[in-house]
Amino acid sequence: VFIVLYIKADLEEIERLRLAPGCSFELDLQESSGHEVRQGVHIDDSEEHDLPGSRGTAHFAMKWAKDSKHMATISIERSLKGVFGPESGLSKDDHGTFVPVVGFECRGVEPIAWYPRDEFVAEGVSGHVWKEGVDLSEKEWFEYDDSSGNSVSIENLEYEFRSYKK
């Protein structure tokens, strides 16, 4: 199953909001064929795990039960042709619209919640770029743009997961 994370937010004096390269994700995960849930799982695409009995790798791998023979895996996709690219993000023109930003190729597991943190880069309409400190864990962020002399903000961050067939 391929799951895409979509976001929307109200941007004031912000031209674009996108995920920082190499950011990690904190997710709640649910077993695809059951009801078991793991909360606060961190997944990072700089980590690769070899999959037993396979030549493949994944960015995250786990077993739901210790004696299980099946691995649940997630691989992070930073681009998906025709859907989103590595530089995709929310622009000021996307007001009120959910925009795809990252995908998760899932086997035996599905993300059910996402906890945004400081994994964002914000670009002001003035051209100023905030590469650090754009923490949306409270679903809002406020700053002052010295370049333009204006207040900037990101508010009402919302997200949803959508299944996608590759």
Side-chain angles (χ1 to χ4, degrees):
V1 174
F2 198 81
I3 309 270
V4 177
L5 173 65
Y6 285 74
I7 63 170
K8 76 175 179 177
D10 298 329
L11 307 179
E12 183 179 326
E13 295 294 315
I14 297 291
E15 183 71 34
R16 258 180 40 134
L17 176 69
R18 61 184 171 83
L19 291 170
C23 69
S24 63
F25 300 90
E26 183 177 350
L27 304 167
D28 288 351
L29 305 175
Q30 181 172 344
E31 185 178 14
S32 293
S33 61
H35 300 292
E36 191 170 341
V37 172
R38 299 273 166 89
Q39 296 180 323
V41 175
H42 291 270
I43 302 174
D44 189 330
D45 63 1
S46 68
E47 296 178 15
E48 291 234 347
H49 303 277
D50 291 327
L51 302 178
S54 168
R55 291 185 189 168
T57 62
H59 296 119
F60 174 79
M62 64 167 277
K63 290 184 180 181
W64 288 103
K66 289 182 183 182
D67 58 348
S68 174
K69 293 180 179 151
H70 300 286
M71 294 290 271
T73 63
I74 296 179
S75 292
I76 298 170
E77 298 286 339
R78 296 289 180 158
S79 63
L80 182 60
K81 188 176 180 177
V83 181
F84 61 89
E87 297 292 316
S88 290
L90 194 62
S91 78
K92 65 179 183 170
D93 298 331
D94 294 321
H95 182 75
T97 304
F98 279 101
V99 174
V101 292
V102 69
F104 302 99
E105 188 168 357
C106 305
R107 290 188 178 17
V109 61
E110 293 180 23
I112 56 171
W114 169 56
Y115 301 95
R117 298 175 309 177
D118 61 350
E119 62 256 350
F120 292 95
V121 172
E123 300 171 23
V125 294
S126 69
H128 183 82
V129 177
W130 289 268
K131 292 183 180 178
E132 295 179 6
V134 183
D135 183 351
L136 289 170
S137 57
E138 300 295 322
K139 312 281 192 266
E140 61 187 18
W141 174 79
F142 301 93
E143 189 58 70
Y144 182 76
D145 185 347
D146 291 328
S147 302
S148 68
N150 292 322
S151 295
V152 297
S153 67
I154 301 164
E155 296 181 88
N156 304 315
L157 177 70
E158 294 180 48
Y159 74 92
E160 64 184 32
F161 293 109
R162 297 182 191 170
S163 292
Y164 181 81
K165 295 201 189 245
K166 273 175 117 173

